[in-house]
Amino acid sequence: MRHEEIKAGENISTVMQFVLLGFSDLPNLQGFLFGMFSVMYLSILIGNSFIIMITRLDPALQKPMYFFLSNFSFLEICYVSVTLPRILFNLWTQDRRISFLACATQMCFFLMLAATESILLSVMSYDRYVAICNPLHYPLSMNPTKCTQLAVGSWLGGVPFELGQTCQIFSLHFCNSNKIDNFFCDIPPVLKLACGNTSVNELYVYAMAILLAAIPFMLILASYSKIIATVLRLPTAEGRAKAFSTCSSHLVVVVLFFGSASVTYLMPKSTHSSITDKLLSLFYTIVTPMLNPMIYSLRNKDVIVALRRLLVKAQCHPLTYE
């Protein structure tokens, strides 16, 4: 396929489309990659849908912790659907073109959902903090109204900031090339195409990273420092083990998400390599959402017990057809 180039000096108004290079440097693996990403997408959809279903149906899981987990699973489905269908389309058709508007839209939704994930993870850590450190106040502090407000705040909190960041980036001039050396419209590879001084844009990226990633991450660390101190004071080993098992899955997800994303967005643009960008992007856009259902279900005894109850109920009441 012939990739279209943008001549140096052209105005951004003439840029009608970009080209997502993605995995075009692996021509012999296109079929394999399509199959692999299809399986990953299906596993993400099925795994997270399963968590949503089981937290809605099982009466024992009608708690704030699982209300937020259900929100988180739905978020992961939305988050991965911003990028993976486009990857599959590009691999299947070998048409890697994406319009200027579609690229901006993809980046905007990706950034907004990433901000939602960051805030929601901090809300989930706050829920665990109240449950373990202030159990007597938990029913009042995390009542249904408060939980709904926290969930809505998580979904909407990053929208104005990321909408502004997307508008700022796509108001730049792109004069050297229109080839995005990644599989979706992410900030680092798009900024690489901009001509002129992009230091203001990079500062804005750092500011958003501090506001929507670093601050939530610090709140999570503060919550878990209090949680660990409280757990270590519990009188029984069984109580400590139960508290740690409840929190460990959340901590693993936090480390996976914030670790890979922070390297991508906090490194200076000049130090980015396309291979590093692609690997890190794959990790926090696809691999982490795929692992989350397994992490939460395998590390959470309540979810395992609820699964057993659901399976027993299905065996006792099989579907009958006339």
Side-chain angles (χ1 to χ4, degrees), residues 12-13 18 35 43 45 50 121 142 160 190 192 219 243:
I12 190 171
S13 62
F18 293 101
S43 67
L45 294 178
F50 163 75
L121 284 171
M142 300 303 291
V190 170
K192 276 185 176 181
L219 291 174

Side-chain angles (χ1 to χ4, degrees), residues 224-234:
Y224 273 95
S225 63
K226 295 279 190 179
I227 289 170
I228 291 170
T230 302
V231 168
L232 292 176
R233 291 198 299 267
L234 292 177

Side-chain angles (χ1 to χ4, degrees), residues 169 172-177 189-198 201 269:
I169 289 172
L172 292 169
H173 294 272
F174 299 95
C175 56
N176 296 318
S177 171
V190 170
L191 275 182
K192 276 185 176 181
L193 303 183
C195 53
N197 187 0
T198 60
N201 301 89
K269 186 179 72 169

Side-chain angles (χ1 to χ4, degrees), residues 152-206:
V152 171
S154 299
W155 281 94
L156 300 180
V159 170
F161 301 103
E162 299 302 1
L163 188 61
Q165 180 164 239
T166 304
C167 292
Q168 187 190 51
I169 289 172
F170 282 89
S171 65
L172 292 169
H173 294 272
F174 299 95
C175 56
N176 296 318
S177 171
N178 66 338
K179 295 180 180 179
I180 298 174
D181 197 4
N182 208 329
F183 53 85
F184 75 105
C185 294
D186 201 3
I187 292 177
V190 170
L191 275 182
K192 276 185 176 181
L193 303 183
C195 53
N197 187 0
T198 60
S199 58
V200 174
N201 301 89
E202 291 185 57
L203 283 175
Y204 194 89
V205 171
Y206 295 142

